[in-house]
Amino acid sequence: MIPGLGADAGAEREARLLSRVVDTISAGLDLDRILQGVATLVTETTDTDVCFVHLLDDRARTLQLRGATPPFDTMVGSIELAVGEGVAGWVADHGEPAVIVDNKTADPRYRYIPALRGEDFTSMVSVPVVTPLGHLVGVLNVHTRERREFSASDVELLRSVAGLVAGAIENARLHRRLADREEALERFAERMVEWQEQERRRLAGDIHDGISQRIVSLFFHLSAAADAIPADPAVAAEQVARAQELAAAALDEARSAIAGLRPPVLDDLGLAASLDSLAHSFPMLDVRVEVAELRMAEHAETAVYRTAQEALQNVAKHADAQSVRLRLSRHRDRVVLEVADDGAGFDTAAPSVGWPGGPGPTGFGLAGMRERAELLGGQLDLAATPGRGTTVRLTIPFLPAAQSGG
Ligand SMILES: Nc1ncnc2c1ncn2[C@@H]1O[C@H](COP(=O)(O)OP(=O)(O)O)[C@@H](O)[C@H]1O
Ligand SMILES: [Mg+2]
């Protein structure tokens, strides 16, 4: 009960306070304004001198001052207590009110915070701010300059106010969360569009690097077979058999590209063995293979494999090389793939080289490699001198494979 009033007048005043709290709370969803308004209302109507509203940060287990009556309103946002620290921390920890009538420095729960000028105030009540579902969201404190005995009904009234405030805090948080989610969804939609574009480019790259190039090899084997038929049917048969294998592989690649999957051989053999098998799928090239056994995230392995595939294909198509070296190694957090040939080389400074619309049937190859590298946060370096060979080096961050369950 509020002092100096009869029971009826007190009850009426309490009802008025609660209804004004409801008004303040319904006025909007800006939590800080609500808490400020509530703090002022509480001091006015409970005949106290200052009111503090601390909000609980559940994860950090701290209380933050978010509402206060002047002159302490300037402290809002800058005072933080650990749960268990000070009277408010004790209330948060125990979930029950604390009343200190005088001599609070003697109370073991009390902690002096210079900015809040505890020496100017004598008596205090601190109540937990609890939602209807029993979830603690903060602590509300009132202080008086003069010594005051707070009655049980005073404490009860403050608890009712705290209950209303808890509802408002929960609403504001729900609203905030909804707004955040809406924003995230918008960002996600944007990313989706970007990702779709990338995926289209990737698919175009897969068709160019995988299927088209298998068909190029297929063509080589078929010509070799055709040449060998009259003179050496055994060689012709062997070339046809290789051609059949390549046709099957091209079909697999096509299925994989359609399903947006990575080269099936990677799943079956792993990266090192896949690169080894890839190197030997170019019968016209003498490839020395030095690949480290390492496993990475699927998309990183795919990028390495595709880059090696396109680089070797370029050697086969353009270099007229005596020998080729394919190397894969890891240096701390980076993985390096290198394809070096001793062939014709070319002028890398030519403006159109390696960019869409550049030389070649699609101009996709080098540009695609570069794009893949950049998508992975890496880079593609080209070193070529006309007449002295070409080295393609892909450097990407080492991305460990996701742990499969179990
Ligand atoms: N290893 C290489 N040796 C010689 N020239 C190369 C090599 N790699 C690429 N090139 C040159 O760079 C050009 C661009 O290659 P790329 O982007 O893969 O397109 P494409 O292979 O479809 O022509 C090739 O047309 C070729 O002139
Ligand atoms: Mg190419």
Coordinates of all heavy atoms in Angstrom, one line a residue, residues 23 31 63 82-83 106 203 219 222 224 237 260 329-330 336 364 371:
D23 N -0.8 2.0 -20.7 CA -0.8 3.0 -21.8 C 0.6 3.2 -22.3 O 0.8 3.3 -23.5 CB -1.4 4.3 -21.2 CG -2.9 4.3 -21.0 OD1 -3.5 3.3 -21.5 OD2 -3.4 5.2 -20.4
L31 N 11.5 -0.2 -27.2 CA 11.7 -0.7 -25.9 C 12.3 0.3 -24.9 O 11.9 0.5 -23.8 CB 12.6 -2.0 -25.9 CG 12.6 -2.7 -24.6 CD1 11.3 -3.1 -24.1 CD2 13.5 -4.0 -24.8
L63 N 23.2 -8.0 -16.5 CA 22.0 -7.1 -16.5 C 22.5 -5.8 -17.0 O 23.6 -5.3 -16.6 CB 21.6 -6.9 -15.0 CG 20.9 -8.1 -14.4 CD1 20.8 -7.9 -12.9 CD2 19.5 -8.4 -15.0
A82 N 26.9 -8.2 -13.5 CA 26.8 -9.7 -13.7 C 25.6 -10.2 -12.9 O 25.3 -9.6 -11.9 CB 28.1 -10.4 -13.3
V83 N 25.0 -11.2 -13.4 CA 23.9 -11.9 -12.6 C 24.6 -12.4 -11.3 O 25.7 -13.0 -11.4 CB 23.3 -13.0 -13.4 CG1 22.4 -13.9 -12.4 CG2 22.4 -12.5 -14.5
A106 N 25.8 -2.4 4.7 CA 26.0 -3.5 5.6 C 25.5 -4.8 5.0 O 25.8 -5.9 5.4 CB 25.5 -3.3 7.0
L203 N 27.6 -24.2 -64.2 CA 27.1 -25.3 -65.0 C 27.7 -25.2 -66.4 O 28.1 -26.2 -67.0 CB 25.6 -25.2 -65.0 CG 24.9 -26.5 -65.2 CD1 25.2 -27.5 -64.1 CD2 23.4 -26.3 -65.2
F219 N 37.1 -37.9 -79.6 CA 37.3 -37.7 -81.0 C 38.8 -38.1 -81.4 O 39.0 -38.8 -82.4 CB 37.1 -36.2 -81.3 CG 37.5 -35.8 -82.7 CD1 36.6 -36.1 -83.8 CD2 38.7 -35.2 -83.0 CE1 36.9 -35.7 -85.1 CE2 39.0 -34.8 -84.3 CZ 38.1 -35.1 -85.3
L222 N 38.9 -41.9 -81.6 CA 38.2 -42.4 -82.7 C 39.0 -42.2 -84.0 O 39.1 -43.1 -84.9 CB 36.8 -41.8 -82.9 CG 35.7 -42.3 -81.9 CD1 34.5 -41.5 -82.0 CD2 35.5 -43.7 -82.0
A224 N 42.3 -42.0 -84.1 CA 43.4 -43.0 -84.0 C 42.9 -44.4 -84.4 O 43.6 -45.1 -85.1 CB 43.9 -43.0 -82.6
A237 N 40.9 -51.6 -82.1 CA 40.0 -52.1 -81.1 C 40.2 -51.5 -79.7 O 39.3 -51.1 -79.0 CB 40.1 -53.6 -81.0
G260 N 23.8 -31.0 -60.9 CA 24.5 -30.0 -60.2 C 25.5 -30.6 -59.3 O 25.9 -30.1 -58.3
S329 N 49.8 -29.7 -53.8 CA 50.5 -29.7 -52.5 C 49.8 -28.7 -51.5 O 49.1 -27.8 -51.9 CB 52.0 -29.3 -52.6 OG 52.0 -28.0 -53.3
R330 N 50.0 -29.0 -50.2 CA 49.4 -28.1 -49.2 C 50.6 -27.4 -48.5 O 51.5 -28.0 -48.1 CB 48.6 -29.0 -48.3 CG 48.0 -28.2 -47.2 CD 47.1 -29.0 -46.3 NE 46.8 -28.2 -45.1 CZ 46.2 -28.7 -44.0 NH1 45.8 -29.9 -44.0 NH2 46.0 -27.9 -43.0
V336 N 47.9 -25.7 -53.3 CA 48.4 -25.2 -54.6 C 48.3 -26.3 -55.6 O 48.8 -27.4 -55.4 CB 49.8 -24.7 -54.5 CG1 50.4 -24.2 -55.8 CG2 49.9 -23.5 -53.4
F364 N 35.9 -19.8 -72.5 CA 35.5 -19.9 -71.1 C 36.6 -20.4 -70.2 O 36.7 -20.1 -69.1 CB 34.3 -20.9 -71.1 CG 33.7 -20.9 -69.7 CD1 32.6 -20.1 -69.5 CD2 34.2 -21.7 -68.7 CE1 32.0 -20.1 -68.2 CE2 33.6 -21.6 -67.4 CZ 32.6 -20.8 -67.2
E371 N 37.6 -17.5 -62.2 CA 36.4 -17.2 -61.5 C 36.2 -18.2 -60.3 O 35.8 -17.8 -59.2 CB 35.2 -17.3 -62.4 CG 34.0 -16.6 -61.9 CD 33.0 -16.4 -63.0 OE1 33.1 -17.1 -64.0 OE2 32.1 -15.6 -62.9

